[in-house]
Amino acid sequence: MTLETLLLKRGPIRTIGVIGMGYVGIPAAALLADVPQFDHVTGFQRDSPSSGYKIAMLNRGESPLKGVEPGLDDLLKKVVTAKKFHCTSDFSEIAGLDAVTLSIQTPFLNKDDLLPDFSALMEGIRHVGKNLRPGMLVVLESTITPGTTNGMARELLEKESGLIAGKDFALAHAPERVMVGRLLRNIREHDRCVGGIDEVSTKRAAELYTPVLTIGKVIPMTATAAEVTKTAENTFRDLQIAAANELALYCEAMGINFYDVRAGIDSLKGEGITRAMLWPGAGVGGHCLTKDTYHLERGVQVLGKGTLDYPKGEPSLYVLARHINDFMPTHMFRLTKEGLERAGMPLKGAKVALLGWAFLANSDDTRNTPSEPYRDLLIAHGARVSVHDPYVAEYPGVSIVPFVEEALEGADAIAIFAGHHQYRTLQAPVLKNLSGKKHPVIIDGRNLVDPDAYIREGFIYKGIGRGDRNGHAIVEHQ
Ligand code: SAJ
């Protein structure tokens, strides 16, 4: 019997399982449960010490996610009350379902070898394999190395179930594209790339996602194309940021203002000649851009199987972009060192106020924060660092002061790492008083402050891309 016949026999999708009750799985399960033609959605969460608590919370219709997610609490309450959603750690319930999606995180084992840790995802895939039945649909939503759906996932499912992908069950990849703070809106409105290992799988997966989309559309493709789309869309963003960072470094070296150049370039308009110039900064953090490039690189190494034609001896443009972005905290350190030298203050023993530990403006997310390598460099050179962040209360091994004044008190240098709103309203005279130094240094990593306001107060100013100001004359106060 062909897969198509099996699916026809089973009829339209009615019951769905979502594995991984995280910031991707929870909104996805709630939205699927809210679709009238779907009878029920089961959320699967392993009852681990760190996240088992989510099961009871979700069954009470409460979201365990931090931060504000508009509409999520109400939607969860609605689908739980309507008995269209429940959460369990009993993976054997998978056997009775028509479709299962897996939204399990794939972090890096460690930053050095940049290899992904697929262990949690593989555990989820094993649970599915053990309970797989003919005519079921399996969809991977996690960000994975190109080739994984057709490779590791397919092999594991077939090994655990004794069934054949594309013959006994449908298999696809539909990468998530959600951003914290707008999870429901993103799932409903973003187009959804849906990639099956074959046409029948793609079609079956499209049946699952179409009812959830409002203005978004399903974009059908192969599983590998969907894996490359997801990793490449973040690789490209990282590349655009690196292009802005490199141009900012050039502008500093040539003594000009990057932001004049950016405005000039941006003025190019019309018939597709525009330039997507992003923003230079103190560095690139987060869990997307810092790893997806390496997923893509590994994908082409595995799938390209030595057939990749590329300029001999040249490094990957994308990996070079990663290295440029990862260099920015070092550049911030150099600007700090130069500023302190101009102030006649040795780095050793200097107090540096580090404003912003989150990797993103107005966020509490600290994953892969660029502030960390900067702090490490300062400490390695004998400086004292006082970290402040209005959204981050704690971080392993780093004490974070609750009030910015505490960090600024007696500071020889002030470095702005995150573009938090609060830092836009800092006043130069106030900071000068708090620092108590004749010529405190300010290093602006996110183009937040007006250089002249600080130079007038006797500060030594350094800013990313501000070649027109970084060598300014020092104003001696009367
Ligand atoms: N950054 C810059 N310059 C820029 C933009 C960002 O230095 O012009 C830095 C930020 O400070 C941060 C890092 O890059 O440290 C990442 O910023 P991000 O805005 O890309 O935020 P992420 O990492 O949360 O990226 C996510 C991605 N979404 C998904 O993977 C589903 C990305 O594809 C989105 O484009 C991005 O959100 C977004 O646009 O919000």
Side-chain angles (χ1 to χ4, degrees):
M1 195 186 299
T2 66
L3 178 57
E4 207 152 10
T5 324
L6 269 174
L7 294 174
L8 282 172
K9 224 166 126 257
R10 184 178 273 264
I13 294 171
R14 292 246 182 279
T15 54
I16 301 156
V18 175
I19 300 184
M21 291 288 100
Y23 77 91
V24 177
I26 292 173
L31 285 168
L32 287 164
D34 197 32
V35 171
Q37 70 253 36
F38 295 147
D39 292 348
H40 190 81
V41 175
T42 309
F44 293 91
Q45 173 58 49
R46 58 185 181 177
D47 197 0
S48 63
S50 60
S51 44
Y53 71 93
K54 296 179 186 175
I55 300 170
M57 270 188 91
L58 286 161
N59 285 327
R60 289 196 304 270
E62 292 165 27
S63 164
L65 298 180
K66 293 186 303 181
V68 176
E69 289 299 340
L72 185 58
D73 285 323
D74 296 346
L75 185 59
L76 273 171
K77 281 245 178 330
K78 177 185 172 191
V79 294
V80 166
T81 312
K83 300 203 179 325
K84 290 203 69 184
F85 170 75
H86 83 283
C87 185
T88 177
S89 59
D90 176 2
F91 288 89
S92 67
E93 291 188 23
I94 291 172
L97 304 175
D98 296 326
V100 183
T101 69
L102 294 99
S103 314
I104 296 169
Q105 61 165 337
T106 54
F108 273 118
L109 278 170
N110 60 52
K111 289 196 192 113
D112 314 334
D113 60 15
L114 298 165
L115 288 175
D117 176 4
F118 281 143
S119 56
L121 178 62
M122 290 171 80
E123 184 193 337
I125 294 173
R126 274 194 200 90
H127 281 305
V128 174
K130 287 191 178 73
N131 298 287
L132 198 56
R133 295 290 179 277
M136 273 174 75
L137 163 68
V138 181
V139 185
L140 299 176
E141 294 197 355
S142 311
T143 301
I144 45 184
T145 304
T148 302
T149 306
N150 252 320
M152 175 270 279
R154 180 198 200 117
E155 284 144 24
L156 209 43
L157 287 165
E158 292 182 341
K159 184 165 142 282
E160 293 289 341
S161 66
L163 299 175
I164 310 288
K167 182 177 170 299
D168 303 318
F169 64 93
L171 176 59
H173 175 54
E176 52 84 9
R177 288 172 142 177
V178 294
M179 278 149 251
V180 166
R182 39 199 202 261
L183 300 175
L184 291 182
R185 185 152 60 85
N186 285 168
I187 295 176
R188 287 180 169 132
E189 297 181 1
H190 281 167
D191 287 344
R192 192 78 193 239
C193 299
V194 175
I197 58 166
D198 52 32
E199 293 280 314
V200 176
S201 297
T202 303
K203 202 159 145 287
R204 188 68 167 175
E207 205 185 301
L208 179 69
Y209 290 103
T210 305
V212 165
L213 300 177
T214 52
I215 54 178
K217 299 274 171 296
V218 161
I219 305 176
M221 54 179 76
T222 65
T224 307
E227 291 162 339
V228 174
T229 299
K230 170 66 191 180
T231 48
E233 71 189 11
N234 283 340
T235 299
F236 261 72
R237 183 170 173 81
D238 195 56
L239 176 64
Q240 288 173 296
I241 296 168
N245 280 330
E246 179 158 343
L247 186 55
L249 295 172
Y250 285 12
C251 290
E252 286 183 41
M254 294 187 277
I256 55 172
N257 181 351
F258 164 87
Y259 296 92
D260 290 344
V261 173
R262 185 183 188 285
I265 292 172
D266 225 25
S267 67
L268 261 178
K269 289 277 181 291
E271 325 72 57
I273 56 167
T274 49
R275 301 284 187 277
M277 176 68 75
L278 292 181
W279 304 95
V284 171
H287 56 297
C288 304
L289 275 57
T290 52
K291 67 175 175 45
D292 288 358
T293 297
Y294 297 111
H295 277 308
L296 180 61
E297 290 297 313
R298 222 182 359 274
V300 76
Q301 280 151 22
V302 169
L303 295 177
K305 288 188 285 299
T307 59
L308 172 67
D309 190 15
Y310 196 76
K312 197 159 173 43
E314 293 296 344
S316 150
L317 171 66
Y318 304 139
V319 170
L320 179 55
R322 282 277 62 243
H323 293 170
I324 290 166
N325 288 337
D326 284 350
F327 169 73
M328 296 315 282
T330 305
H331 181 57
M332 286 288 285
F333 170 75
R334 190 150 313 145
L335 291 175
T336 308
K337 191 162 168 288
E338 282 168 10
L340 286 168
E341 276 160 8
R342 284 200 76 188
M345 176 75 206
L347 198 52
K348 195 170 171 46
K351 175 180 176 180
V352 181
L354 201 177
L355 305 189
W357 194 256
F359 84 85
L360 204 56
N362 308 314
S363 150
D364 67 354
D365 197 333
T366 59
R367 279 174 284 192
N368 300 309
T369 177
S371 306
E372 187 155 25
Y374 173 72
R375 176 177 173 272
D376 293 348
L377 274 169
L378 286 172
I379 290 172
H381 287 76
R384 288 173 298 125
V385 185
S386 176
V387 178
H388 171 263
D389 190 302
Y391 300 91
V392 180
E394 57 197 18
Y395 186 88
V398 179
S399 68
I400 297 177
V401 296
F403 304 104
V404 72
E405 293 77 8
E406 201 178 322
L408 296 169
E409 191 74 44
D412 298 288
I414 301 158
I416 299 177
F417 254 79
H420 294 327
H421 285 313
Q422 174 178 356
Y423 300 146
R424 288 182 188 281
T425 55
L426 294 172
Q427 298 302 317
V430 172
L431 268 64
K432 182 80 169 7
N433 285 339
L434 280 165
S435 94
K437 308 292 176 187
K438 198 158 175 292
H439 298 299
V441 181
I442 177 126
I443 309 102
D444 186 356
R446 296 292 175 196
N447 188 36
L448 286 198
V449 304
D450 166 16
D452 297 330
Y454 282 80
I455 294 168
R456 260 198 310 277
E457 279 303 315
F459 276 80
I460 291 168
Y461 170 89
K462 296 281 182 187
I464 298 257
R466 293 309 300 264
D468 60 320
R469 285 287 183 282
N470 285 351
H472 68 84
I474 298 177
V475 170
E476 293 299 345
H477 262 236
Q478 42 286 353

